[in-house]
């Protein structure tokens, strides 16, 4: 059973960089067939796709965030990471890491989510 | 980006009711449509993938249909554990956008 766990600071100051890591257990990021994803949910709102990475390092970023987002993968640690620069209060959200299955084109596993608040 | 809309935005229903939620894409997405259920404070859970395929372990009272731009999620007989928010997501082209959600609550 694959499990994903987000980790990182819960509070980030405006203009700084938000950094989160997702540790995957029960499956290998290098096995292929999946995109490893970051998705966020603003308080009381819907879901927003931030971006995806394949184990080869290929990335897809949401154009609305592309200038500020970097997603990377460390296959040796079975982790992938999110960096979002120049954050503002509008980036306050619950951030989920997730596994997107290519064959079904759906997200079959999610982390529990971590609330990141942007505030001075 | 492909825009996804859902209707209704909320629905009040009773246990045993049949509930239908509609999702519409701003352009054709073939059958690349997934339905999720989310309960408060929890991550979403996949119900239906590729428009009409039931995810393993999901009760058969959930069903999906549609292709192109118009899709539906049907709960044939609403159970107490089904009160939640439901989202559709297209996976035809990146970014894989979500609908705004439909909240199903108790009448």
């Amino acid at each position: 059973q694959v499990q994903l766990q987000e980790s990182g600071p819960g509070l980030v100051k405006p203009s700084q960089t938000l950094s989160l890591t997702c540790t995957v257990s029960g499956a290998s990021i290098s096995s292929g067939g999946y995109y490893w994803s970051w998705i966020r949910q603003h308080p009381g709102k819907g879901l927003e796709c931030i971006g995806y990475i394949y184990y080869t390092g290929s990335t897809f970023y949401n154009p609305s965030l592309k200038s500020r987002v970097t997603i990377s993968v460390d296959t040796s640690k079975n982790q992938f990471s999110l960096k979002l620069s120049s954050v503002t209060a509008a980036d306050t959200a619950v951030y989920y890491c997730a596994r997107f299955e290519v064959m079904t084109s759906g997200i079959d596993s999610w982390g529990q989510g971590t609330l990141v608040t942007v505030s001075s | 980006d492909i825009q996804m809309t859902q209707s209704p935005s909320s629905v009040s229903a009773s246990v045993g009711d049949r509930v239908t939620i509609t999702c519409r894409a701003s352009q054709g997405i073939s059958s690349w449509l997934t339905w999720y259920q989310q309960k408060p404070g929890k991550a979403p859970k996949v119900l239906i993938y590729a428009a009409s395929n039931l995810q393993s372990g999901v009760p058969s009272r959930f069903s999906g249909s549609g292709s192109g731009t118009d899709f539906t999620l049907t709960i044939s007989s609403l159970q107490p554990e089904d009160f939640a928010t439901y989202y559709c997501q297209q996976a035809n082209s990146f970014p894989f956008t979500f609908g705004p959600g439909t909240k199903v609550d108790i009448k």
Side-chain angles (χ1 to χ4, degrees), chain A:
Chain A
Q1 180 79 356
V2 61
Q3 292 188 320
L4 297 89
Q5 178 66 58
E6 306 91 351
S7 59
L11 181 64
V12 181
K13 289 181 170 25
S15 79
Q16 294 190 342
T17 295
L18 178 160
S19 296
L20 295 173
T21 295
C22 183
T23 300
V24 179
S25 58
S28 171
I29 284 181
S30 303
S31 62
Y34 301 96
Y35 285 103
W36 303 92
S37 321
W38 288 100
I39 292 160
R40 70 181 182 179
Q41 187 168 34
H42 294 100
K45 302 295 184 183
L47 299 158
E48 178 182 31
C49 168
I50 299 171
Y52 293 75
I53 189 165
Y54 199 57
Y55 77 97
T56 57
S58 298
T59 52
F60 301 87
Y61 297 143
N62 189 323
S64 68
L65 298 168
K66 187 174 184 177
S67 64
R68 300 193 290 129
V69 171
T70 303
I71 297 176
S72 59
V73 65
D74 186 338
T75 54
S76 66
K77 294 182 179 178
N78 222 33
Q79 295 176 332
F80 61 106
S81 299
L82 168 70
K83 291 188 186 299
L84 181 66
S85 63
S86 305
V87 297
T88 69
D91 295 308
T92 293
V94 174
Y95 287 76
Y96 292 101
C97 61
R99 185 177 79 168
F100 178 90
E101 184 176 12
V102 173
M103 187 172 69
T104 63
S105 290
I107 297 171
D108 66 351
S109 299
W110 298 72
Q112 64 184 23
T114 186
L115 174 63
V116 179
T117 301
V118 179
S119 174
S120 55

Side-chain angles (χ1 to χ4, degrees), chain B residues 35-104:
Chain B
W35 288 98
Y36 302 92
Q37 176 194 69
Q38 186 179 34
K39 296 182 179 179
K42 300 294 186 181
K45 166 190 164 184
V46 62
L47 300 174
I48 303 284
Y49 65 91
S52 61
N53 293 274
L54 193 68
Q55 178 77 357
S56 176
V58 174
S60 58
R61 63 181 178 272
F62 292 93
S63 63
S65 64
S67 65
T69 59
D70 295 315
F71 302 86
T72 59
L73 172 70
T74 299
I75 310 172
S76 60
S77 178
L78 199 66
Q79 298 301 300
E81 60 268 30
D82 301 336
F83 292 97
T85 300
Y86 294 83
Y87 294 94
C88 59
Q89 182 194 23
Q90 65 83 17
N92 182 77
S93 62
F94 200 78
F96 299 152
T97 40
F98 292 88
T102 295
K103 185 176 182 180
V104 178

